[in-house]
């Protein structure tokens, strides 16, 4: 498949410009790293932005404790390879300390618990800006974001109070206690990300490729059967050929049936699909405004 190289290089240049703006305007930024493809591309772009030096800010991972083992293994290997500093905010640790209360039942998720842990991690490390890999095409709430997204002293986002960004001028002014989320990949699409991964030959977790996995179908979502998933009495697992389009908490990250075992095959599959990549996320199905509600509270 032929790629639009000029288009991808324009997106790359824009993202690197935004990353350098963060380094120039803020005193203590960080890069939010989930181990998914978007944060991996973000890390790759940050390396390019400051080459031959190392990334001048830490990677921050909010670990739910219910991650796929492959994600954690990839994260640790990448951090060691590039010599980056890693800061981990632990949801399990927050539960153990009684700072947050875990949901119970078959549909229990830890995604909502990431928000207070993220806010505490930002506060304790005094981060004034956090780079994230969110893109406007992912979800309708994320389509409302600017590149520089202001957060108040409580870490909250007001979609009706955002700053204009004309001629690539970004206003990072803030009061004491406030911070920013910054999204250099805002104008990228899922297809752009995969094509960029292809031309840059970027390593990604094997979960993104087709593989055999024991799964259960719950409310139309294909979930991998992990030690964290509590099965209902009537639910039966089956071996399926699947891959994941997003990576997150294993209890809510849905897989898709697929035979795509190479980057080229994934690019072709993404180009043909009619479902958004978050269409299989159980956490987004809780309500029509679930993502926007979480973002207003301080979510990524």
């Amino acid at each position: 498949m032929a790629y639009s190289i000029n288009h991808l290089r324009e997106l790359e240049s824009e993202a690197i410009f935004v990353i350098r703006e963060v380094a120039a305007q803020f005193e203590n930024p960080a890069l939010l790293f989930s181990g998914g493809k978007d944060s991996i591309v973000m890390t790759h772009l940050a390396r390019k932005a400051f080459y031959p030096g190392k990334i001048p800010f830490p990677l921050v991972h909010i670990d739910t404790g219910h991650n796929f083992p492959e994600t954690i293994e990839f994260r640790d290997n990448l951090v060691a390879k590039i010599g980056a500093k890693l800061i981990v905010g632990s949801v399990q640790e927050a539960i153990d300390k009684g700072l947050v209360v875990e949901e119970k039942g078959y549909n229990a998720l830890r995604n909502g618990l990431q928000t207070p842990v993220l806010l505490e991690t930002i506060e304790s490390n005094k981060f004034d800006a956090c780079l994230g890999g969110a893109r406007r095409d992912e979800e309708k709430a994320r389509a409302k974001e600017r590149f520089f997204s202001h957060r108040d002293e409580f870490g909250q986002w007001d979609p009706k109070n955002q700053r204009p960004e004309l001629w690539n001028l970004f206003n990072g002014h803030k009061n004491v206690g406030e911070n920013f989320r910054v999204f250099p990949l805002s104008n990228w699409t899922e297809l752009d990300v995969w094509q960029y991964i292809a031309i840059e030959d970027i390593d990604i977790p094997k979960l993104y490729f087709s593989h055999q996995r024991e799964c259960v179908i719950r409310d139309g979502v294909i979930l991998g059967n992990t030690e964290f998933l509590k099965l209902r009495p009537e639910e039966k697992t089956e071996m399926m050929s699947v891959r994941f389009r997003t990576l997150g908490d294993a209890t809510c990250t849905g897989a898709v049936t697929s035979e795509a075992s190479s980057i080229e095959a994934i690019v072709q599959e993404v180009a043909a699909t009619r479902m958004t990549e978050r269409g299989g996320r159980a956490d987004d199905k809780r309500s029509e405004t679930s993502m926007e509600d979480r973002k207003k509270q301080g979510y990524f």
Side-chain angles (χ1 to χ4, degrees):
M1 178 180 289
Y3 303 139
S4 178
I5 303 298
N6 289 341
H7 169 68
L8 294 173
R9 291 306 178 200
E10 287 176 4
L11 290 174
E12 175 191 65
S13 178
E14 177 184 65
I16 288 175
F17 173 76
V18 173
I19 292 170
R20 288 173 175 165
E21 276 292 299
V22 170
Q25 291 198 39
F26 297 97
E27 295 181 2
N28 189 28
L31 191 156
L32 300 178
F33 186 85
S34 68
K37 65 184 185 307
D38 300 309
S39 62
I40 292 169
V41 167
M42 279 277 298
T43 303
H44 180 83
L45 290 165
R47 293 181 70 193
K48 277 196 163 189
F50 303 107
Y51 183 83
K54 293 183 179 180
I55 300 175
F57 36 74
L59 307 187
V60 174
H61 182 211
I62 305 304
D63 183 0
T64 67
H66 287 176
N67 289 287
F68 292 101
E70 296 95 329
T71 303
I72 301 301
E73 179 183 5
F74 184 92
R75 178 200 72 185
D76 293 342
N77 289 339
L78 178 62
V79 167
K81 175 183 176 182
I82 67 177
K85 179 181 179 182
L86 174 67
I87 294 174
V88 178
S90 172
V91 170
Q92 184 62 59
E93 185 175 308
I95 292 171
D96 294 341
K97 290 181 177 179
L99 301 177
V100 295
V101 179
E102 187 166 20
E103 295 181 4
K104 305 297 181 183
Y106 295 111
N107 293 317
L109 303 177
R110 286 189 172 186
N111 257 23
L113 304 185
Q114 292 181 89
T115 299
V117 176
L118 171 63
L119 295 178
E120 193 281 328
T121 302
I122 291 173
E123 175 68 23
S124 62
N125 289 279
K126 302 189 184 314
F127 294 131
D128 53 1
C130 291
L131 292 149
R135 309 184 321 272
R136 293 190 181 114
D137 77 318
E138 284 183 88
E139 202 273 343
K140 55 191 175 184
R142 285 181 167 167
K144 300 177 181 180
E145 288 278 21
R146 300 286 196 267
F147 280 99
F148 275 37
S149 183
H150 175 264
R151 297 297 197 270
D152 65 20
E153 64 271 26
F154 301 106
Q156 297 177 330
W157 171 67
D158 181 358
K160 296 180 180 179
N161 184 26
Q162 298 197 75
R163 299 171 180 182
E165 294 180 341
L166 305 175
W167 305 291
N168 283 337
L169 296 176
F170 303 116
N171 181 358
H173 176 75
K174 59 181 177 56
N175 296 315
V176 175
E178 299 175 344
N179 61 79
F180 277 78
R181 307 288 167 79
V182 182
F183 305 108
L185 303 186
S186 288
N187 289 333
W188 296 51
T189 66
E190 183 188 11
L191 186 59
D192 292 329
V193 170
W194 281 112
Q195 290 182 338
Y196 187 73
I197 288 171
I199 68 170
E200 291 287 295
D201 193 25
I202 300 173
D203 288 335
I204 59 171
K206 57 187 179 182
L207 289 166
Y208 281 113
F209 300 102
S210 178
H211 58 283
Q212 290 292 316
R213 182 174 290 267
E214 185 181 20
C215 299
V216 62
I217 301 178
R218 176 179 293 178
D219 300 326
V221 177
I222 302 173
L223 297 174
N225 185 28
T226 66
E227 60 180 304
F228 315 119
L229 189 66
K230 185 178 180 181
L231 295 178
R232 297 168 180 164
E234 71 278 10
E235 287 180 328
K236 304 296 182 183
T237 63
E238 59 180 302
M239 293 301 296
M240 303 176 67
S241 178
V242 299
R243 73 176 193 86
F244 293 89
R245 291 176 68 187
T246 66
L247 296 186
D249 194 301
T251 60
C252 65
T253 303
V256 295
T257 56
S258 174
E259 298 298 332
S261 58
S262 67
I263 298 293
E264 190 72 22
I266 291 174
V267 169
Q268 293 178 356
E269 185 178 272
V270 170
T273 188
R274 300 297 298 170
M275 184 176 75
T276 65
E277 64 192 290
R278 292 191 69 92
R281 289 291 293 256
D283 50 331
D284 288 353
K285 297 180 182 295
R286 289 195 163 186
S287 77
E288 284 293 319
T289 61
S290 58
M291 173 61 81
E292 183 159 334
D293 292 341
R294 281 180 286 156
K295 286 179 69 63
K296 287 179 180 178
Q297 294 166 3
Y299 187 68
F300 299 109

